[in-house]
Amino acid sequence: MRPAEVWGGPRRRRAATAAAVVLLIALPLLPGAIATGSMRGLVAIPAESLVILLLVAVVPSRRIRVVLAGVFGVFVCLAVVLAAIDRGYDAALGTRFVPLDWPQLGDAYGVLAAAIGALPASAVVAVALALLIATSWALAWAVLRIDVVVRTRPQRGRRTLAAVTGAWIVVAWPAVAFGMTQPVAAAAATSSVGSAVSRSVAALQAREAVAREIADDPYADVAPTDLLSALRGKHVVVAFIESYGRVALEGAGFSAGVNETLDRAEASLTAQGYVARSAWLTSPTFGGVSWLAHATLQSGVWIDSQTAYSEVLGSERLTLSAAFADAGWRTVGVVPSNTQPWPAGRDFYRFDQMWDATNLGYRGPSFGYARIPDQYVWKHLADRELAASPAPVMAEIDLVSSHTPWAPLPELVPWQQVGDGSIYHGQLSGSASANEVWEDPERVQRYYGRSIEYALDAMFSFLENVDGSNLVVIALGDHQPGRIVAGHDAGRDVPISIISQDPAVAEAIAQWDWEPGLRPTRESPVWRMDAVRDRFFAAFGSVP
């Protein structure tokens, strides 16, 4: 028998009908399977397919049926995308995706490009878009194919639709009554989109609460000179160490190396006259989105979403850096990951000078997402700001050598040889690439620990090589690392240390009961990160 006789005519039509049925059953169930991480979600009857088939069955216009089928395809694909992004957010950030926070996806793409390269990352995005378009088309075709079958044999076709719909209703009732989490009668696509809409509404309501908190600022009318009177004449550096979370000190095997680094540095710094006090802060974010933590610490407002962040940045809320600026300090923002202008640095944080990838003068190799090594950034701050400014400097420095994917890693070089960064050429060959590291979860964890050790050593090399007599460093993590390192049960605590050679600094915060040294313990205080601003103002200035 010839192939044409097998696949032509009735057999081909039956195969097409069977394929359409499979598509209409499986694809609308994908959001549920993605959300639960279980293939069990694919064994159900999708309500969305029944609704669209019933709808097109009563529409006389062919053109309108085509439009409805197309809308259905797009709707299901939107649900799949939302479910996939939500799953990724939960795995990486320990939170749910809010569509209002879509600008964060650009940063996620940046991490992917740094890990596998810009061209492969673009190819991944292009393939994903092509699959979505093909899926939308396939679903629309499947609806129209089944509609043709129903209209060819209207009596039989409508009875079949009615029977399946009745079966869905029959099995749906006990699922609702008994609270089944994976009912046979499913509406996975609708649930995915509906959940995203609900989260967006909740985010808008939270934004209103943030607006009220912004307006209720006890320090808004306090004279800036009174806020920071105990720090006059001192350089103050707020250093965010990327992904420096509690797991770095209390995690698995890699924590031993981090703790050894802290103990070794503490002995060295103590010999130089430094005093440190440490505790824990609870970050508003997990696994990424560092800028939420930066803004929370600076503003004293809990900022756990992009919508809240936008609300705060559009306000006149008093930040730490703005208070320092008003009190006569030269304020500096150092963000080596930035490659574009950042108006918020000038308008909201009130930085007099902003340093980023475009003007730091780095001439060394790029270390993936963390293009510029932390040690180079510290050296630049020391030479171009602290040593050069006639006025005291307040700086926020956002370090990134310990940013995901934690490879490739730089190594420390002699402080006086940092130069323009050319000395780092050749180091890339000594470190595994991100692709190699991420082949094995245990290797990812080891490289995370090594990246934290490097980031801490880079800071300690700064402290050991600058004049610390009028220096206060507030070093803290921005958030925990992703779940691949921190695990699924990790909290959001990060270490914080205040380091200075002036005993008066430690005395000013004595009532905080922070732990002596660079390592907070299990008994150390735990504050929310938004509590720091007000307690800092109260410790080093006036209480309103």
Side-chain angles (χ1 to χ4, degrees), residues 217-458:
D217 187 351
Y219 286 93
D221 298 323
V222 178
T225 51
D226 293 337
L227 286 177
L228 303 164
S229 56
L231 294 171
R232 288 196 185 105
K234 296 186 182 301
H235 296 310
V236 179
V237 179
V238 178
F240 282 98
I241 300 174
E242 173 67 36
S243 300
Y244 183 35
R246 188 163 188 157
V247 68
L249 278 65
E250 299 179 352
F254 57 79
S255 297
V258 174
N259 286 320
E260 289 174 7
T261 298
L262 290 169
D263 292 342
R264 182 176 62 252
E266 186 173 328
S268 175
L269 294 178
T270 299
Q272 290 185 257
Y274 282 102
V275 177
R277 296 290 183 269
S278 300
W280 304 106
L281 299 179
T282 301
S283 174
T285 184
F286 180 100
V289 203
S290 306
W291 54 89
L292 303 185
H294 305 165
T296 293
L297 183 103
Q298 281 259 17
S299 68
V301 176
W302 187 254
I303 305 172
D304 59 358
S305 69
Q306 191 70 25
T307 52
Y309 178 78
S310 299
E311 184 73 21
V312 173
L313 258 64
S315 73
E316 296 182 357
R317 176 78 177 190
L318 180 66
T319 60
L320 286 172
S321 51
F324 275 100
D326 290 338
W329 269 260
R330 172 176 167 81
T331 53
V332 178
V334 187
V335 191
S337 60
N338 277 4
T339 59
Q340 301 292 331
W342 184 44
R346 177 190 66 250
D347 300 334
F348 178 69
Y349 290 106
R350 299 274 306 283
F351 292 133
D352 298 314
Q353 172 66 45
M354 289 178 285
W355 298 99
D356 57 30
T358 66
N359 62 0
L360 278 168
Y362 179 67
R363 297 294 181 268
S366 174
F367 288 85
Y369 181 88
R371 301 173 182 84
I372 304 176
D374 287 355
Q375 186 186 28
Y376 178 91
V377 179
W378 280 113
K379 185 68 162 60
H380 185 93
L381 175 70
D383 294 348
R384 297 294 299 272
E385 291 294 347
L386 304 190
S389 174
V393 171
M394 181 273 169
E396 179 188 316
I397 177 171
D398 302 337
L399 301 159
V400 289
S401 284
S402 49
H403 194 288
T404 307
W406 305 304
L409 283 176
E411 298 176 1
L412 288 186
V413 300
W415 182 257
Q416 298 303 330
Q417 296 180 26
V418 171
D420 65 359
S422 298
I423 192 172
Y424 295 104
H425 281 293
Q427 287 195 3
L428 287 177
S429 61
S431 172
S433 68
N435 287 338
E436 294 170 328
V437 168
W438 281 73
E439 291 175 352
D440 177 14
E442 290 186 2
R443 198 176 192 191
V444 172
Q445 295 169 6
R446 290 199 302 272
Y447 263 73
Y448 163 76
R450 288 179 55 188
S451 74
I452 295 296
E453 292 174 35
Y454 169 80
L456 292 171
D457 278 334

Side-chain angles (χ1 to χ4, degrees), residues 49-60:
S49 293
L50 290 176
V51 170
I52 189 63
L53 290 175
L54 290 171
L55 186 58
V56 298
V58 299
V59 173

